[in-house]
Amino acid sequence: MLSRPRRNRKSESIRSMVRENRLELANLIYPIFLVDGEGIKDEVQSLPGNYRWSIDLLLKEIRECIDLGITNFVMFPAVAENLKDPHASYSHSADNFYLKAANKIKSSFPEICLISDVAMDPYSSEGHDGFVENGEIINDKTLPILCEMAVAQAKAGFDILGPSDMMDGRIGAIREALDEAGYYNTGIMAYTAKYASAFYGPFRDALDSAPKGGDKKTYQMDPSNSKEAIREAILDEEEGADFLMVKPGLPYLDIVKTLSEVSSLPIAVYNVSGECAMLRAACDKGWLDFEKAMPEMLLSFKRAGATSILTYFAKEYALLLKEGKV
Ligand code: PBG
């Protein structure tokens, strides 16, 4: 036998020398849920270990995460039902608690990267990412709302905006609105290939943002398609995106790989709530070893070609690192 692949696996020093991918904390983005009020740390039932925070306690949590080495966060608002309306007007209102919190976080921790969510669903009485008229999601009536939301978020201090709505043309519209308002340094992480997936359940529980009627299939992508992801990637790149995102992650690693090959932009991947809940549940049952399975799952995103991984396990990964377990 001339070729024996096992020779390069003989010892940890050799394995480490030939290791092709290493996951670093810098690759991780920690999603956090924000709720209005004070003294609130409310666990999301279907996503154990993740909470809806009020800003006072969230600032302490972020401090703790920074001390563990986490530098990137994406924040989502859980909005009270009485503040929702068909136009998502609270999303850019002057007293929006999410915008105020972003301002507070960035002035307390200017060194971190804070990413937003641009979409109507947390603020929409219809629970849809776009404007609804007679049961239909109207693309071009949604764009100005997204632009107003985006400019308000840039003004609040978010470093990067994350349009997660899947309307056509929104990256270009948002880029133009930001530039016009002088926010040419605010980046855009486009949710490029966001699929109409069953894996978003725990997230919708956290924000109470499930659609009131219908589903999201006229704007989110069909899980059967991969060429369509390339089409979306080309559009987002042309329209000025700074990152392309694939979402969900684990069931769509082929899409991560494809986009990393066709685009020169950095690829982000969203290891969504349902993926994390699924792994956690199996570990809680004793069927999988959390400390081994979780890092292996995160590494798969890096290997597939993502530089940036949004994951609810970011803090737990940082803790494992600190304990020398990964
Ligand atoms: C909606 C949005 C969703 C997620 C992020 N932004 C859910 C949806 O499209 O209904 C899901 C993230 C997750 O499941 O972790 N704008």
Side-chain angles (χ1 to χ4, degrees):
M1 243 189 280
L2 285 178
S3 203
R4 287 182 181 270
R6 287 187 54 195
R7 281 197 287 262
N8 287 350
R9 298 178 206 138
K10 189 166 65 177
S11 66
E12 180 49 27
S13 53
I14 298 174
R15 289 193 294 274
S16 181
M17 175 173 55
V18 301
R19 196 157 286 147
E20 295 173 46
N21 293 287
R22 286 190 159 80
L23 185 68
E24 294 175 51
L25 270 188
N27 297 122
L28 303 186
I29 302 170
Y30 194 21
I32 41 185
F33 302 118
L34 178 78
V35 70
D36 200 9
E38 231 179 282
I40 303 170
K41 178 185 180 185
D42 179 18
E43 189 165 41
V44 181
Q45 228 191 353
S46 47
L47 200 56
N50 292 83
Y51 304 84
R52 289 180 213 93
W53 301 91
S54 57
I55 183 65
D56 52 338
L57 298 188
L58 180 59
L59 288 169
K60 296 192 180 109
E61 172 69 2
I62 292 180
R63 172 82 266 161
E64 209 177 300
C65 290
I66 293 173
D67 291 343
L68 284 170
I70 297 172
T71 51
N72 311 305
F73 300 84
V74 58
M75 184 163 71
F76 298 94
V79 179
E81 208 56 38
N82 65 318
L83 293 173
K84 300 183 183 180
D85 67 22
H87 294 271
S89 37
Y90 185 70
S91 66
H92 49 83
S93 123
D95 46 38
N96 179 313
F97 71 95
Y98 177 69
L99 300 175
K100 285 190 201 160
N103 194 281
K104 192 102 181 232
I105 293 168
K106 278 301 294 187
S107 48
S108 309
F109 311 110
E111 72 278 19
I112 67 164
C113 167
L114 187 62
I115 305 172
S116 77
D117 180 46
V118 183
M120 287 178 66
D121 57 326
Y123 312 96
S124 154
S125 43
E126 306 278 348
H128 274 288
D129 296 29
F131 181 70
V132 185
E133 217 166 56
N134 303 321
E136 196 185 322
I137 316 297
I138 313 292
N139 195 90
D140 297 11
K141 286 192 179 171
T142 305
L143 298 183
I145 299 172
L146 297 176
C147 288
E148 229 175 318
M149 198 184 305
V151 171
Q153 292 177 354
K155 188 172 167 204
F158 282 102
D159 298 283
I160 299 176
L161 310 187
S164 64
D165 55 286
M166 291 302 279
M167 294 302 119
D168 291 335
R170 92 278 203 210
I171 300 302
I174 290 172
R175 184 70 270 160
E176 203 173 306
L178 290 174
D179 287 358
E180 255 169 42
Y183 297 110
Y184 47 81
N185 271 332
T186 303
I188 300 179
M189 181 178 282
Y191 286 58
T192 296
K194 177 173 178 181
Y195 287 86
S197 167
F199 286 88
Y200 306 146
F203 177 94
R204 293 178 187 170
D205 291 344
L207 300 194
D208 197 13
S209 65
K212 300 286 189 317
D215 53 41
K216 299 194 173 186
K217 290 181 186 169
T218 68
Y219 46 106
Q220 299 181 349
M221 283 176 50
D222 187 324
S224 306
N225 296 349
S226 60
K227 278 206 284 191
E228 198 180 350
I230 300 176
R231 186 177 184 202
E232 290 280 6
I234 291 169
L235 286 169
D236 286 354
E237 191 158 349
E238 281 172 1
E239 291 177 31
D242 300 287
F243 291 79
L244 303 180
M245 191 200 295
V246 175
K247 173 184 176 186
L250 214 48
Y252 297 88
L253 285 176
D254 56 326
I255 308 298
V256 175
K257 180 82 179 164
T258 301
L259 292 201
S260 79
E261 285 168 356
V262 304
S263 176
S264 56
L265 290 178
I267 305 298
V269 62
Y270 203 142
N271 178 210
V272 300
S273 57
E275 300 167 44
C276 295
M278 177 169 80
L279 184 86
R280 175 91 65 189
C283 294
D284 286 351
K285 272 193 167 277
W287 292 346
L288 290 175
D289 178 347
F290 184 77
E291 293 184 354
K292 294 204 166 68
M294 184 269 280
E296 182 178 332
M297 179 161 108
L298 298 189
L299 185 63
S300 76
F301 300 120
K302 187 91 189 263
R303 193 182 61 240
T307 56
S308 317
I309 303 160
L310 294 83
T311 179
Y312 298 95
F313 293 141
K315 190 177 179 192
E316 276 156 303
Y317 186 83
L319 284 166
L320 286 184
L321 255 183
K322 191 180 169 191
E323 291 164 13
K325 292 182 175 162
V326 281

